[in-house]
mmCIF file with all atom_site columns, all heavy atoms in Angstrom:
data_model
loop_
_atom_site.group_PDB
_atom_site.id
_atom_site.type_symbol
_atom_site.label_atom_id
_atom_site.label_alt_id
_atom_site.label_comp_id
_atom_site.label_asym_id
_atom_site.label_entity_id
_atom_site.label_seq_id
_atom_site.pdbx_PDB_ins_code
_atom_site.Cartn_x
_atom_site.Cartn_y
_atom_site.Cartn_z
_atom_site.occupancy
_atom_site.B_iso_or_equiv
_atom_site.pdbx_formal_charge
_atom_site.auth_seq_id
_atom_site.auth_comp_id
_atom_site.auth_asym_id
_atom_site.auth_atom_id
_atom_site.pdbx_PDB_model_num
ATOM 1   N N   . ASN R 1 1  ? -51.134 -26.849 -3.815  1.00 0.00 ? 288 ASN R N   1
ATOM 2   C CA  . ASN R 1 1  ? -50.331 -27.163 -4.996  1.00 0.00 ? 288 ASN R CA  1
ATOM 3   C C   . ASN R 1 1  ? -49.074 -26.303 -5.052  1.00 0.00 ? 288 ASN R C   1
ATOM 4   O O   . ASN R 1 1  ? -47.986 -26.794 -5.365  1.00 0.00 ? 288 ASN R O   1
ATOM 5   C CB  . ASN R 1 1  ? -51.158 -26.966 -6.267  1.00 0.00 ? 288 ASN R CB  1
ATOM 6   C CG  . ASN R 1 1  ? -50.355 -27.230 -7.511  1.00 0.00 ? 288 ASN R CG  1
ATOM 7   O OD1 . ASN R 1 1  ? -49.905 -28.340 -7.757  1.00 0.00 ? 288 ASN R OD1 1
ATOM 8   N ND2 . ASN R 1 1  ? -50.163 -26.188 -8.306  1.00 0.00 ? 288 ASN R ND2 1
ATOM 9   N N   . ALA R 1 2  ? -49.200 -25.027 -4.738  1.00 0.00 ? 289 ALA R N   1
ATOM 10  C CA  . ALA R 1 2  ? -48.045 -24.126 -4.748  1.00 0.00 ? 289 ALA R CA  1
ATOM 11  C C   . ALA R 1 2  ? -47.000 -24.573 -3.733  1.00 0.00 ? 289 ALA R C   1
ATOM 12  O O   . ALA R 1 2  ? -45.803 -24.594 -4.035  1.00 0.00 ? 289 ALA R O   1
ATOM 13  C CB  . ALA R 1 2  ? -48.486 -22.691 -4.470  1.00 0.00 ? 289 ALA R CB  1
ATOM 14  N N   . ARG R 1 3  ? -47.452 -24.942 -2.535  1.00 0.00 ? 290 ARG R N   1
ATOM 15  C CA  . ARG R 1 3  ? -46.527 -25.406 -1.479  1.00 0.00 ? 290 ARG R CA  1
ATOM 16  C C   . ARG R 1 3  ? -45.857 -26.721 -1.839  1.00 0.00 ? 290 ARG R C   1
ATOM 17  O O   . ARG R 1 3  ? -44.658 -26.902 -1.646  1.00 0.00 ? 290 ARG R O   1
ATOM 18  C CB  . ARG R 1 3  ? -47.285 -25.586 -0.162  1.00 0.00 ? 290 ARG R CB  1
ATOM 19  C CG  . ARG R 1 3  ? -47.142 -24.484 0.819   1.00 0.00 ? 290 ARG R CG  1
ATOM 20  C CD  . ARG R 1 3  ? -47.715 -24.816 2.195   1.00 0.00 ? 290 ARG R CD  1
ATOM 21  N NE  . ARG R 1 3  ? -48.994 -25.485 2.184   1.00 0.00 ? 290 ARG R NE  1
ATOM 22  C CZ  . ARG R 1 3  ? -50.176 -24.900 2.030   1.00 0.00 ? 290 ARG R CZ  1
ATOM 23  N NH1 . ARG R 1 3  ? -50.233 -23.602 1.869   1.00 0.00 ? 290 ARG R NH1 1
ATOM 24  N NH2 . ARG R 1 3  ? -51.287 -25.580 2.046   1.00 0.00 ? 290 ARG R NH2 1
ATOM 25  N N   . GLU R 1 4  ? -46.647 -27.660 -2.359  1.00 0.00 ? 291 GLU R N   1
ATOM 26  C CA  . GLU R 1 4  ? -46.155 -29.024 -2.570  1.00 0.00 ? 291 GLU R CA  1
ATOM 27  C C   . GLU R 1 4  ? -45.475 -29.242 -3.912  1.00 0.00 ? 291 GLU R C   1
ATOM 28  O O   . GLU R 1 4  ? -44.644 -30.144 -4.031  1.00 0.00 ? 291 GLU R O   1
ATOM 29  C CB  . GLU R 1 4  ? -47.303 -30.020 -2.415  1.00 0.00 ? 291 GLU R CB  1
ATOM 30  C CG  . GLU R 1 4  ? -47.845 -30.066 -0.999  1.00 0.00 ? 291 GLU R CG  1
ATOM 31  C CD  . GLU R 1 4  ? -49.027 -31.011 -0.852  1.00 0.00 ? 291 GLU R CD  1
ATOM 32  O OE1 . GLU R 1 4  ? -49.409 -31.683 -1.832  1.00 0.00 ? 291 GLU R OE1 1
ATOM 33  O OE2 . GLU R 1 4  ? -49.582 -31.064 0.276   1.00 0.00 ? 291 GLU R OE2 1
ATOM 34  N N   . ASN R 1 5  ? -45.817 -28.451 -4.925  1.00 0.00 ? 292 ASN R N   1
ATOM 35  C CA  . ASN R 1 5  ? -45.285 -28.698 -6.265  1.00 0.00 ? 292 ASN R CA  1
ATOM 36  C C   . ASN R 1 5  ? -44.521 -27.520 -6.861  1.00 0.00 ? 292 ASN R C   1
ATOM 37  O O   . ASN R 1 5  ? -43.404 -27.683 -7.346  1.00 0.00 ? 292 ASN R O   1
ATOM 38  C CB  . ASN R 1 5  ? -46.427 -29.106 -7.208  1.00 0.00 ? 292 ASN R CB  1
ATOM 39  C CG  . ASN R 1 5  ? -47.090 -30.379 -6.754  1.00 0.00 ? 292 ASN R CG  1
ATOM 40  O OD1 . ASN R 1 5  ? -46.442 -31.400 -6.574  1.00 0.00 ? 292 ASN R OD1 1
ATOM 41  N ND2 . ASN R 1 5  ? -48.396 -30.337 -6.541  1.00 0.00 ? 292 ASN R ND2 1
ATOM 42  N N   . VAL R 1 6  ? -45.127 -26.351 -6.830  1.00 0.00 ? 293 VAL R N   1
ATOM 43  C CA  . VAL R 1 6  ? -44.500 -25.190 -7.478  1.00 0.00 ? 293 VAL R CA  1
ATOM 44  C C   . VAL R 1 6  ? -43.241 -24.761 -6.734  1.00 0.00 ? 293 VAL R C   1
ATOM 45  O O   . VAL R 1 6  ? -42.173 -24.602 -7.339  1.00 0.00 ? 293 VAL R O   1
ATOM 46  C CB  . VAL R 1 6  ? -45.501 -24.022 -7.616  1.00 0.00 ? 293 VAL R CB  1
ATOM 47  C CG1 . VAL R 1 6  ? -44.812 -22.790 -8.172  1.00 0.00 ? 293 VAL R CG1 1
ATOM 48  C CG2 . VAL R 1 6  ? -46.681 -24.435 -8.493  1.00 0.00 ? 293 VAL R CG2 1
ATOM 49  N N   . ALA R 1 7  ? -43.345 -24.566 -5.425  1.00 0.00 ? 294 ALA R N   1
ATOM 50  C CA  . ALA R 1 7  ? -42.182 -24.109 -4.651  1.00 0.00 ? 294 ALA R CA  1
ATOM 51  C C   . ALA R 1 7  ? -40.993 -25.059 -4.774  1.00 0.00 ? 294 ALA R C   1
ATOM 52  O O   . ALA R 1 7  ? -39.868 -24.607 -5.042  1.00 0.00 ? 294 ALA R O   1
ATOM 53  C CB  . ALA R 1 7  ? -42.556 -23.881 -3.188  1.00 0.00 ? 294 ALA R CB  1
ATOM 54  N N   . PRO R 1 8  ? -41.191 -26.386 -4.630  1.00 0.00 ? 295 PRO R N   1
ATOM 55  C CA  . PRO R 1 8  ? -40.045 -27.287 -4.802  1.00 0.00 ? 295 PRO R CA  1
ATOM 56  C C   . PRO R 1 8  ? -39.435 -27.217 -6.209  1.00 0.00 ? 295 PRO R C   1
ATOM 57  O O   . PRO R 1 8  ? -38.214 -27.275 -6.358  1.00 0.00 ? 295 PRO R O   1
ATOM 58  C CB  . PRO R 1 8  ? -40.621 -28.673 -4.519  1.00 0.00 ? 295 PRO R CB  1
ATOM 59  C CG  . PRO R 1 8  ? -41.794 -28.415 -3.632  1.00 0.00 ? 295 PRO R CG  1
ATOM 60  C CD  . PRO R 1 8  ? -42.363 -27.113 -4.125  1.00 0.00 ? 295 PRO R CD  1
ATOM 61  N N   . ALA R 1 9  ? -40.275 -27.065 -7.231  1.00 0.00 ? 296 ALA R N   1
ATOM 62  C CA  . ALA R 1 9  ? -39.753 -26.960 -8.602  1.00 0.00 ? 296 ALA R CA  1
ATOM 63  C C   . ALA R 1 9  ? -38.945 -25.679 -8.775  1.00 0.00 ? 296 ALA R C   1
ATOM 64  O O   . ALA R 1 9  ? -37.888 -25.681 -9.424  1.00 0.00 ? 296 ALA R O   1
ATOM 65  C CB  . ALA R 1 9  ? -40.909 -27.007 -9.607  1.00 0.00 ? 296 ALA R CB  1
ATOM 66  N N   . LEU R 1 10 ? -39.418 -24.595 -8.192  1.00 0.00 ? 297 LEU R N   1
ATOM 67  C CA  . LEU R 1 10 ? -38.678 -23.337 -8.280  1.00 0.00 ? 297 LEU R CA  1
ATOM 68  C C   . LEU R 1 10 ? -37.335 -23.429 -7.570  1.00 0.00 ? 297 LEU R C   1
ATOM 69  O O   . LEU R 1 10 ? -36.331 -22.903 -8.065  1.00 0.00 ? 297 LEU R O   1
ATOM 70  C CB  . LEU R 1 10 ? -39.500 -22.190 -7.683  1.00 0.00 ? 297 LEU R CB  1
ATOM 71  C CG  . LEU R 1 10 ? -40.694 -21.728 -8.511  1.00 0.00 ? 297 LEU R CG  1
ATOM 72  C CD1 . LEU R 1 10 ? -41.586 -20.808 -7.694  1.00 0.00 ? 297 LEU R CD1 1
ATOM 73  C CD2 . LEU R 1 10 ? -40.225 -21.055 -9.791  1.00 0.00 ? 297 LEU R CD2 1
ATOM 74  N N   . ARG R 1 11 ? -37.308 -24.102 -6.426  1.00 0.00 ? 298 ARG R N   1
ATOM 75  C CA  . ARG R 1 11 ? -36.053 -24.236 -5.667  1.00 0.00 ? 298 ARG R CA  1
ATOM 76  C C   . ARG R 1 11 ? -34.974 -24.952 -6.466  1.00 0.00 ? 298 ARG R C   1
ATOM 77  O O   . ARG R 1 11 ? -33.791 -24.776 -6.207  1.00 0.00 ? 298 ARG R O   1
ATOM 78  C CB  . ARG R 1 11 ? -36.297 -24.965 -4.348  1.00 0.00 ? 298 ARG R CB  1
ATOM 79  C CG  . ARG R 1 11 ? -36.928 -24.080 -3.296  1.00 0.00 ? 298 ARG R CG  1
ATOM 80  C CD  . ARG R 1 11 ? -36.866 -24.695 -1.910  1.00 0.00 ? 298 ARG R CD  1
ATOM 81  N NE  . ARG R 1 11 ? -37.701 -25.859 -1.759  1.00 0.00 ? 298 ARG R NE  1
ATOM 82  C CZ  . ARG R 1 11 ? -38.985 -25.849 -1.393  1.00 0.00 ? 298 ARG R CZ  1
ATOM 83  N NH1 . ARG R 1 11 ? -39.584 -24.716 -1.135  1.00 0.00 ? 298 ARG R NH1 1
ATOM 84  N NH2 . ARG R 1 11 ? -39.656 -26.974 -1.274  1.00 0.00 ? 298 ARG R NH2 1
ATOM 85  N N   . GLU R 1 12 ? -35.362 -25.724 -7.466  1.00 0.00 ? 299 GLU R N   1
ATOM 86  C CA  . GLU R 1 12 ? -34.401 -26.440 -8.312  1.00 0.00 ? 299 GLU R CA  1
ATOM 87  C C   . GLU R 1 12 ? -33.754 -25.538 -9.365  1.00 0.00 ? 299 GLU R C   1
ATOM 88  O O   . GLU R 1 12 ? -32.745 -25.901 -9.957  1.00 0.00 ? 299 GLU R O   1
ATOM 89  C CB  . GLU R 1 12 ? -35.089 -27.621 -9.011  1.00 0.00 ? 299 GLU R CB  1
ATOM 90  C CG  . GLU R 1 12 ? -35.594 -28.682 -8.064  1.00 0.00 ? 299 GLU R CG  1
ATOM 91  C CD  . GLU R 1 12 ? -34.473 -29.358 -7.292  1.00 0.00 ? 299 GLU R CD  1
ATOM 92  O OE1 . GLU R 1 12 ? -33.441 -29.670 -7.905  1.00 0.00 ? 299 GLU R OE1 1
ATOM 93  O OE2 . GLU R 1 12 ? -34.641 -29.552 -6.073  1.00 0.00 ? 299 GLU R OE2 1
ATOM 94  N N   . LEU R 1 13 ? -34.332 -24.369 -9.595  1.00 0.00 ? 300 LEU R N   1
ATOM 95  C CA  . LEU R 1 13 ? -33.811 -23.469 -10.629 1.00 0.00 ? 300 LEU R CA  1
ATOM 96  C C   . LEU R 1 13 ? -32.667 -22.625 -10.077 1.00 0.00 ? 300 LEU R C   1
ATOM 97  O O   . LEU R 1 13 ? -32.754 -22.077 -8.981  1.00 0.00 ? 300 LEU R O   1
ATOM 98  C CB  . LEU R 1 13 ? -34.927 -22.569 -11.154 1.00 0.00 ? 300 LEU R CB  1
ATOM 99  C CG  . LEU R 1 13 ? -36.106 -23.297 -11.802 1.00 0.00 ? 300 LEU R CG  1
ATOM 100 C CD1 . LEU R 1 13 ? -37.180 -22.296 -12.202 1.00 0.00 ? 300 LEU R CD1 1
ATOM 101 C CD2 . LEU R 1 13 ? -35.645 -24.101 -13.015 1.00 0.00 ? 300 LEU R CD2 1
ATOM 102 N N   . GLU R 1 14 ? -31.615 -22.527 -10.856 1.00 0.00 ? 301 GLU R N   1
ATOM 103 C CA  . GLU R 1 14 ? -30.435 -21.773 -10.434 1.00 0.00 ? 301 GLU R CA  1
ATOM 104 C C   . GLU R 1 14 ? -30.776 -20.305 -10.219 1.00 0.00 ? 301 GLU R C   1
ATOM 105 O O   . GLU R 1 14 ? -31.442 -19.677 -11.042 1.00 0.00 ? 301 GLU R O   1
ATOM 106 C CB  . GLU R 1 14 ? -29.335 -21.893 -11.481 1.00 0.00 ? 301 GLU R CB  1
ATOM 107 C CG  . GLU R 1 14 ? -28.038 -21.287 -11.028 1.00 0.00 ? 301 GLU R CG  1
ATOM 108 C CD  . GLU R 1 14 ? -26.892 -21.602 -11.962 1.00 0.00 ? 301 GLU R CD  1
ATOM 109 O OE1 . GLU R 1 14 ? -26.959 -22.611 -12.679 1.00 0.00 ? 301 GLU R OE1 1
ATOM 110 O OE2 . GLU R 1 14 ? -25.946 -20.815 -11.965 1.00 0.00 ? 301 GLU R OE2 1
ATOM 111 N N   . GLY R 1 15 ? -30.339 -19.777 -9.092  1.00 0.00 ? 302 GLY R N   1
ATOM 112 C CA  . GLY R 1 15 ? -30.523 -18.372 -8.792  1.00 0.00 ? 302 GLY R CA  1
ATOM 113 C C   . GLY R 1 15 ? -31.843 -18.033 -8.130  1.00 0.00 ? 302 GLY R C   1
ATOM 114 O O   . GLY R 1 15 ? -32.108 -16.872 -7.841  1.00 0.00 ? 302 GLY R O   1
ATOM 115 N N   . PHE R 1 16 ? -32.684 -19.047 -7.864  1.00 0.00 ? 303 PHE R N   1
ATOM 116 C CA  . PHE R 1 16 ? -33.960 -18.801 -7.185  1.00 0.00 ? 303 PHE R CA  1
ATOM 117 C C   . PHE R 1 16 ? -33.684 -18.317 -5.774  1.00 0.00 ? 303 PHE R C   1
ATOM 118 O O   . PHE R 1 16 ? -32.859 -18.875 -5.059  1.00 0.00 ? 303 PHE R O   1
ATOM 119 C CB  . PHE R 1 16 ? -34.796 -20.085 -7.156  1.00 0.00 ? 303 PHE R CB  1
ATOM 120 C CG  . PHE R 1 16 ? -36.054 -19.966 -6.351  1.00 0.00 ? 303 PHE R CG  1
ATOM 121 C CD1 . PHE R 1 16 ? -37.118 -19.220 -6.831  1.00 0.00 ? 303 PHE R CD1 1
ATOM 122 C CD2 . PHE R 1 16 ? -36.171 -20.587 -5.125  1.00 0.00 ? 303 PHE R CD2 1
ATOM 123 C CE1 . PHE R 1 16 ? -38.288 -19.099 -6.087  1.00 0.00 ? 303 PHE R CE1 1
ATOM 124 C CE2 . PHE R 1 16 ? -37.332 -20.476 -4.378  1.00 0.00 ? 303 PHE R CE2 1
ATOM 125 C CZ  . PHE R 1 16 ? -38.395 -19.742 -4.857  1.00 0.00 ? 303 PHE R CZ  1
ATOM 126 N N   . ALA R 1 17 ? -34.389 -17.261 -5.353  1.00 0.00 ? 304 ALA R N   1
ATOM 127 C CA  . ALA R 1 17 ? -34.132 -16.677 -4.040  1.00 0.00 ? 304 ALA R CA  1
ATOM 128 C C   . ALA R 1 17 ? -35.374 -16.564 -3.164  1.00 0.00 ? 304 ALA R C   1
ATOM 129 O O   . ALA R 1 17 ? -35.261 -16.143 -2.014  1.00 0.00 ? 304 ALA R O   1
ATOM 130 C CB  . ALA R 1 17 ? -33.490 -15.297 -4.205  1.00 0.00 ? 304 ALA R CB  1
ATOM 131 N N   . GLY R 1 18 ? -36.552 -16.928 -3.669  1.00 0.00 ? 305 GLY R N   1
ATOM 132 C CA  . GLY R 1 18 ? -37.726 -16.887 -2.813  1.00 0.00 ? 305 GLY R CA  1
ATOM 133 C C   . GLY R 1 18 ? -39.024 -16.789 -3.581  1.00 0.00 ? 305 GLY R C   1
ATOM 134 O O   . GLY R 1 18 ? -39.042 -16.517 -4.782  1.00 0.00 ? 305 GLY R O   1
ATOM 135 N N   . LEU R 1 19 ? -40.117 -17.029 -2.852  1.00 0.00 ? 306 LEU R N   1
ATOM 136 C CA  . LEU R 1 19 ? -41.465 -17.013 -3.425  1.00 0.00 ? 306 LEU R CA  1
ATOM 137 C C   . LEU R 1 19 ? -42.445 -16.442 -2.413  1.00 0.00 ? 306 LEU R C   1
ATOM 138 O O   . LEU R 1 19 ? -42.413 -16.819 -1.236  1.00 0.00 ? 306 LEU R O   1
ATOM 139 C CB  . LEU R 1 19 ? -41.887 -18.450 -3.782  1.00 0.00 ? 306 LEU R CB  1
ATOM 140 C CG  . LEU R 1 19 ? -43.359 -18.698 -4.130  1.00 0.00 ? 306 LEU R CG  1
ATOM 141 C CD1 . LEU R 1 19 ? -43.721 -18.027 -5.449  1.00 0.00 ? 306 LEU R CD1 1
ATOM 142 C CD2 . LEU R 1 19 ? -43.627 -20.196 -4.205  1.00 0.00 ? 306 LEU R CD2 1
ATOM 143 N N   . LEU R 1 20 ? -43.300 -15.553 -2.881  1.00 0.00 ? 307 LEU R N   1
ATOM 144 C CA  . LEU R 1 20 ? -44.446 -15.067 -2.111  1.00 0.00 ? 307 LEU R CA  1
ATOM 145 C C   . LEU R 1 20 ? -45.679 -15.274 -2.969  1.00 0.00 ? 307 LEU R C   1
ATOM 146 O O   . LEU R 1 20 ? -45.634 -15.034 -4.180  1.00 0.00 ? 307 LEU R O   1
ATOM 147 C CB  . LEU R 1 20 ? -44.338 -13.573 -1.808  1.00 0.00 ? 307 LEU R CB  1
ATOM 148 C CG  . LEU R 1 20 ? -43.229 -13.094 -0.892  1.00 0.00 ? 307 LEU R CG  1
ATOM 149 C CD1 . LEU R 1 20 ? -43.219 -11.569 -0.870  1.00 0.00 ? 307 LEU R CD1 1
ATOM 150 C CD2 . LEU R 1 20 ? -43.423 -13.651 0.504   1.00 0.00 ? 307 LEU R CD2 1
ATOM 151 N N   . ILE R 1 21 ? -46.756 -15.711 -2.354  1.00 0.00 ? 308 ILE R N   1
ATOM 152 C CA  . ILE R 1 21 ? -48.036 -15.775 -3.056  1.00 0.00 ? 308 ILE R CA  1
ATOM 153 C C   . ILE R 1 21 ? -49.051 -15.048 -2.193  1.00 0.00 ? 308 ILE R C   1
ATOM 154 O O   . ILE R 1 21 ? -49.203 -15.344 -1.005  1.00 0.00 ? 308 ILE R O   1
ATOM 155 C CB  . ILE R 1 21 ? -48.475 -17.225 -3.331  1.00 0.00 ? 308 ILE R CB  1
ATOM 156 C CG1 . ILE R 1 21 ? -47.456 -17.912 -4.247  1.00 0.00 ? 308 ILE R CG1 1
ATOM 157 C CG2 . ILE R 1 21 ? -49.875 -17.235 -3.958  1.00 0.00 ? 308 ILE R CG2 1
ATOM 158 C CD1 . ILE R 1 21 ? -47.773 -19.336 -4.585  1.00 0.00 ? 308 ILE R CD1 1
ATOM 159 N N   . LEU R 1 22 ? -49.719 -14.091 -2.801  1.00 0.00 ? 309 LEU R N   1
ATOM 160 C CA  . LEU R 1 22 ? -50.744 -13.304 -2.138  1.00 0.00 ? 309 LEU R CA  1
ATOM 161 C C   . LEU R 1 22 ? -52.073 -13.617 -2.809  1.00 0.00 ? 309 LEU R C   1
ATOM 162 O O   . LEU R 1 22 ? -52.121 -13.777 -4.033  1.00 0.00 ? 309 LEU R O   1
ATOM 163 C CB  . LEU R 1 22 ? -50.442 -11.813 -2.273  1.00 0.00 ? 309 LEU R CB  1
ATOM 164 C CG  . LEU R 1 22 ? -49.032 -11.376 -1.873  1.00 0.00 ? 309 LEU R CG  1
ATOM 165 C CD1 . LEU R 1 22 ? -48.798 -9.933  -2.282  1.00 0.00 ? 309 LEU R CD1 1
ATOM 166 C CD2 . LEU R 1 22 ? -48.836 -11.567 -0.393  1.00 0.00 ? 309 LEU R CD2 1
ATOM 167 N N   . GLY R 1 23 ? -53.137 -13.721 -2.027  1.00 0.00 ? 310 GLY R N   1
ATOM 168 C CA  . GLY R 1 23 ? -54.417 -14.047 -2.632  1.00 0.00 ? 310 GLY R CA  1
ATOM 169 C C   . GLY R 1 23 ? -55.582 -13.425 -1.913  1.00 0.00 ? 310 GLY R C   1
ATOM 170 O O   . GLY R 1 23 ? -55.509 -13.143 -0.719  1.00 0.00 ? 310 GLY R O   1
ATOM 171 N N   . ASP R 1 24 ? -56.648 -13.228 -2.652  1.00 0.00 ? 311 ASP R N   1
ATOM 172 C CA  . ASP R 1 24 ? -57.907 -12.728 -2.114  1.00 0.00 ? 311 ASP R CA  1
ATOM 173 C C   . ASP R 1 24 ? -58.982 -13.752 -2.469  1.00 0.00 ? 311 ASP R C   1
ATOM 174 O O   . ASP R 1 24 ? -59.438 -13.821 -3.617  1.00 0.00 ? 311 ASP R O   1
ATOM 175 C CB  . ASP R 1 24 ? -58.226 -11.364 -2.709  1.00 0.00 ? 311 ASP R CB  1
ATOM 176 C CG  . ASP R 1 24 ? -59.532 -10.776 -2.209  1.00 0.00 ? 311 ASP R CG  1
ATOM 177 O OD1 . ASP R 1 24 ? -60.285 -11.472 -1.482  1.00 0.00 ? 311 ASP R OD1 1
ATOM 178 O OD2 . ASP R 1 24 ? -59.816 -9.621  -2.557  1.00 0.00 ? 311 ASP R OD2 1
ATOM 179 N N   . ARG R 1 25 ? -59.337 -14.540 -1.493  1.00 0.00 ? 312 ARG R N   1
ATOM 180 C CA  . ARG R 1 25 ? -60.301 -15.624 -1.693  1.00 0.00 ? 312 ARG R CA  1
ATOM 181 C C   . ARG R 1 25 ? -61.634 -15.097 -2.256  1.00 0.00 ? 312 ARG R C   1
ATOM 182 O O   . ARG R 1 25 ? -62.242 -15.730 -3.116  1.00 0.00 ? 312 ARG R O   1
ATOM 183 C CB  . ARG R 1 25 ? -60.525 -16.324 -0.357  1.00 0.00 ? 312 ARG R CB  1
ATOM 184 C CG  . ARG R 1 25 ? -61.366 -17.544 -0.411  1.00 0.00 ? 312 ARG R CG  1
ATOM 185 C CD  . ARG R 1 25 ? -61.612 -18.102 0.991   1.00 0.00 ? 312 ARG R CD  1
ATOM 186 N NE  . ARG R 1 25 ? -60.400 -18.287 1.757   1.00 0.00 ? 312 ARG R NE  1
ATOM 187 C CZ  . ARG R 1 25 ? -59.680 -19.400 1.799   1.00 0.00 ? 312 ARG R CZ  1
ATOM 188 N NH1 . ARG R 1 25 ? -60.065 -20.443 1.091   1.00 0.00 ? 312 ARG R NH1 1
ATOM 189 N NH2 . ARG R 1 25 ? -58.591 -19.477 2.529   1.00 0.00 ? 312 ARG R NH2 1
ATOM 190 N N   . SER R 1 26 ? -62.089 -13.943 -1.790  1.00 0.00 ? 313 SER R N   1
ATOM 191 C CA  . SER R 1 26 ? -63.411 -13.445 -2.199  1.00 0.00 ? 313 SER R CA  1
ATOM 192 C C   . SER R 1 26 ? -63.447 -13.015 -3.663  1.00 0.00 ? 313 SER R C   1
ATOM 193 O O   . SER R 1 26 ? -64.459 -13.191 -4.334  1.00 0.00 ? 313 SER R O   1
ATOM 194 C CB  . SER R 1 26 ? -63.869 -12.307 -1.299  1.00 0.00 ? 313 SER R CB  1
ATOM 195 O OG  . SER R 1 26 ? -63.024 -11.190 -1.430  1.00 0.00 ? 313 SER R OG  1
ATOM 196 N N   . SER R 1 27 ? -62.358 -12.463 -4.169  1.00 0.00 ? 314 SER R N   1
ATOM 197 C CA  . SER R 1 27 ? -62.341 -12.013 -5.569  1.00 0.00 ? 314 SER R CA  1
ATOM 198 C C   . SER R 1 27 ? -61.751 -13.053 -6.516  1.00 0.00 ? 314 SER R C   1
ATOM 199 O O   . SER R 1 27 ? -61.922 -12.952 -7.725  1.00 0.00 ? 314 SER R O   1
ATOM 200 C CB  . SER R 1 27 ? -61.540 -10.720 -5.704  1.00 0.00 ? 314 SER R CB  1
ATOM 201 O OG  . SER R 1 27 ? -60.152 -10.978 -5.535  1.00 0.00 ? 314 SER R OG  1
ATOM 202 N N   . GLY R 1 28 ? -61.035 -14.033 -5.961  1.00 0.00 ? 315 GLY R N   1
ATOM 203 C CA  . GLY R 1 28 ? -60.375 -15.034 -6.798  1.00 0.00 ? 315 GLY R CA  1
ATOM 204 C C   . GLY R 1 28 ? -59.075 -14.537 -7.401  1.00 0.00 ? 315 GLY R C   1
ATOM 205 O O   . GLY R 1 28 ? -58.444 -15.235 -8.190  1.00 0.00 ? 315 GLY R O   1
ATOM 206 N N   . ARG R 1 29 ? -58.642 -13.350 -7.023  1.00 0.00 ? 316 ARG R N   1
ATOM 207 C CA  . ARG R 1 29 ? -57.390 -12.802 -7.563  1.00 0.00 ? 316 ARG R CA  1
ATOM 208 C C   . ARG R 1 29 ? -56.219 -13.262 -6.704  1.00 0.00 ? 316 ARG R C   1
ATOM 209 O O   . ARG R 1 29 ? -56.328 -13.359 -5.484  1.00 0.00 ? 316 ARG R O   1
ATOM 210 C CB  . ARG R 1 29 ? -57.442 -11.278 -7.597  1.00 0.00 ? 316 ARG R CB  1
ATOM 211 C CG  . ARG R 1 29 ? -58.452 -10.766 -8.611  1.00 0.00 ? 316 ARG R CG  1
ATOM 212 C CD  . ARG R 1 29 ? -58.531 -9.262  -8.594  1.00 0.00 ? 316 ARG R CD  1
ATOM 213 N NE  . ARG R 1 29 ? -57.281 -8.657  -9.028  1.00 0.00 ? 316 ARG R NE  1
ATOM 214 C CZ  . ARG R 1 29 ? -57.058 -8.183  -10.248 1.00 0.00 ? 316 ARG R CZ  1
ATOM 215 N NH1 . ARG R 1 29 ? -57.999 -8.236  -11.155 1.00 0.00 ? 316 ARG R NH1 1
ATOM 216 N NH2 . ARG R 1 29 ? -55.902 -7.638  -10.551 1.00 0.00 ? 316 ARG R NH2 1
ATOM 217 N N   . SER R 1 30 ? -55.098 -13.531 -7.369  1.00 0.00 ? 317 SER R N   1
ATOM 218 C CA  . SER R 1 30 ? -53.880 -13.869 -6.643  1.00 0.00 ? 317 SER R CA  1
ATOM 219 C C   . SER R 1 30 ? -52.681 -13.341 -7.402  1.00 0.00 ? 317 SER R C   1
ATOM 220 O O   . SER R 1 30 ? -52.773 -12.977 -8.571  1.00 0.00 ? 317 SER R O   1
ATOM 221 C CB  . SER R 1 30 ? -53.761 -15.388 -6.431  1.00 0.00 ? 317 SER R CB  1
ATOM 222 O OG  . SER R 1 30 ? -53.664 -16.052 -7.664  1.00 0.00 ? 317 SER R OG  1
#
């Protein structure tokens, strides 16, 4: 969802310069 929906929506916002998403599958934290 982040790749297909969130990132493209962010790219449409003026001044957007990048996105990183970090996650830990075992703890569910991201």
Side-chain angles (χ1 to χ4, degrees):
N288 178 64
R290 260 190 317 279
E291 294 178 3
N292 298 305
V293 175
L297 288 168
R298 283 194 291 272
E299 296 296 317
L300 299 177
E301 187 171 336
F303 174 72
L306 168 68
L307 294 173
I308 298 180
L309 309 170
D311 179 353
R312 186 184 308 269
S313 65
S314 71
R316 292 178 65 100
S317 63

